[in-house]
């Protein structure tokens, strides 16, 4: 791991500790108190937060409270049928990231990666160390190791396509990974899954950044309103976390539900997106209107 990656993983660790502090009843801590708990000066803590997410610690803090998921459901719930026409180019996307994707055929999926060459590499991300996998067509896997550990994350991803040939080559993936984490430019996805899973992942791609939906809403969107449990399983099996935004799927109650790479990562992603959306020119224009 290079120096920049280590620093980014450290920054995520600070975010995680802040989340734990707020969850333990520290939601009203001042900047000075939070900084002291992080063993930092207030100025350094402020700079770290601002560099990581682009907003002040005070602004970010409100999105890390346990009630944030319920507030999202109340204020930023997305009806997928209504957003279908908006698609990936909709105004809900904060940054200019264009996603193009291609899905494997059912027959190719059934072969469990046989004859497929998958490149892989470790990259720094806003949410700690990330494992990126991809074929010649685009990113097919994206895992976050800060909660699970690097070896379990690697084993998890390789087990999804056990017959594939895996080749370590970060250079091949870097342009796609850089665009994905910067949320700018263009990146391609190669979606490898069963037909039902592909439908669910396509529906997730229609949920704008900073917004959420529910598992039941996803089931409605794919035309299988009674298949909520199967939809939940498909969400959990999403191999391209963050880009296929399974973190935006919540339970009707406002509970976060599960997250394959750890709930602290899911909460950090939701807070990251909501805080950046709140601070965006588009949001300010909507509020002024």
């Amino acid at each position: 791991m290079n120096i920049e990656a280590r620093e980014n993983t450290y920054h995520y660790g600070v975010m995680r500790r802040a989340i734990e502090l707020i969850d333990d009843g520290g939601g009203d801590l001042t900047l000075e108190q939070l900084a002291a708990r992080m063993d930092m000066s207030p100025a350094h803590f402020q700079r770290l937060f601002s560099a990581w997410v682009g907003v002040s610690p005070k602004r970010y803090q409100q999105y890390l409270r346990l009630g944030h998921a319920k507030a999202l459901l109340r204020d930023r719930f997305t009806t997928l049928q209504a957003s279908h026409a908006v698609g990936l180019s909709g105004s809900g996307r904060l940054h200019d990231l264009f996603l193009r994707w291609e899905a494997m055929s059912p027959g190719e999926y059934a072969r469990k990666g046989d004859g497929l060459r998958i490149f892989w590499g470790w990259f720094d991300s806003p949410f700690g160390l990330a494992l990126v996998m991809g074929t010649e067509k685009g990113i097919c896997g994206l895992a976050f190791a800060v909660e699970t550990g690097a070896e379990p994350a690697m084993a998890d991803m390789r087990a999804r396509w056990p017959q594939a040939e895996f080749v370590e080559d970060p250079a091949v993936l870097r342009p796609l990974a850089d665009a994905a984490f910067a949320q700018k430019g263009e990146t391609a996805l190669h979606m490898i899954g069963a037909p039902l899973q592909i439908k669910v992942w396509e529906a997730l791609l229609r949920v704008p950044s900073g917004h959420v939906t529910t598992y039941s809403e996803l089931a409605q969107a794919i035309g299988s309103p009674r298949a909520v449990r199967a939809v939940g399983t498909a969400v959990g099996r999403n191999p391209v976390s963050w880009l296929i935004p399974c973190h935006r799927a919540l339970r009707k109650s406002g509970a976060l539900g599960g997250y394959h790479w750890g709930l602290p990562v899911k909460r950090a992603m939701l807070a990251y997106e909501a805080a950046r959306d709140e601070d965006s020119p588009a949001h300010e224009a909507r509020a002024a209107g």
Side-chain angles (χ1 to χ4, degrees), residues 152-199:
M154 173 65 80
D156 183 304
M157 297 304 291
R158 290 177 69 107
R160 296 168 188 250
W161 312 291
Q163 302 303 318
E165 175 191 1
F166 290 89
V167 179
E168 183 178 9
D169 195 340
V172 171
L173 298 167
R174 183 166 296 282
L176 297 175
D178 287 348
F181 294 132
Q183 296 284 280
K184 294 180 180 178
E186 179 178 324
T187 194
L189 301 181
H190 191 189
M191 296 161 66
I192 304 175
L196 175 68
Q197 292 174 328
I198 296 292
K199 287 183 179 180

Side-chain angles (χ1 to χ4, degrees), residues 53 55 59-60 63 270-280:
V53 77
V55 297
R59 177 72 63 83
Y60 190 73
Y63 290 109
L270 288 171
Y272 180 94
E273 290 183 331
R276 287 167 68 88
D277 183 71
E278 180 87 2
D279 204 53
S280 70

Side-chain angles (χ1 to χ4, degrees), residues 24-42:
D24 289 339
D28 295 323
L29 290 174
T30 65
L31 171 65
E32 289 73 18
Q33 290 169 326
L34 277 172
R37 299 287 185 91
M38 299 294 108
D39 296 320
M40 297 178 180
S41 70

Side-chain angles (χ1 to χ4, degrees), residues 52-65:
W52 190 81
V53 77
V55 297
S56 70
K58 183 177 181 181
R59 177 72 63 83
Y60 190 73
Q61 189 175 6
Q62 67 180 311
Y63 290 109
L64 295 177
R65 298 176 188 269

Side-chain angles (χ1 to χ4, degrees), residues 12 15 19 52 60 64 127 263-273:
Y12 172 78
M15 299 303 115
I19 289 171
W52 190 81
Y60 190 73
L64 295 177
F127 312 104
L263 281 179
V265 178
K266 181 173 185 174
R267 297 191 61 232
M269 287 178 173
L270 288 171
Y272 180 94
E273 290 183 331

Side-chain angles (χ1 to χ4, degrees), residues 207-260:
V207 182
S209 177
H211 292 67
V212 295
T213 192
T214 62
Y215 298 105
S216 58
E217 175 71 16
L218 287 168
Q220 291 277 353
I222 67 170
S224 302
R226 297 184 180 180
V228 176
R229 181 171 296 182
V231 165
T233 300
V235 170
R237 292 296 295 169
N238 167 28
V240 191
S241 299
W242 179 238
L243 290 178
I244 298 176
C246 52
H247 59 280
R248 297 176 193 159
L250 308 178
R251 293 176 180 166
K252 275 186 174 181
S253 64
L256 287 179
Y259 191 65
H260 196 77

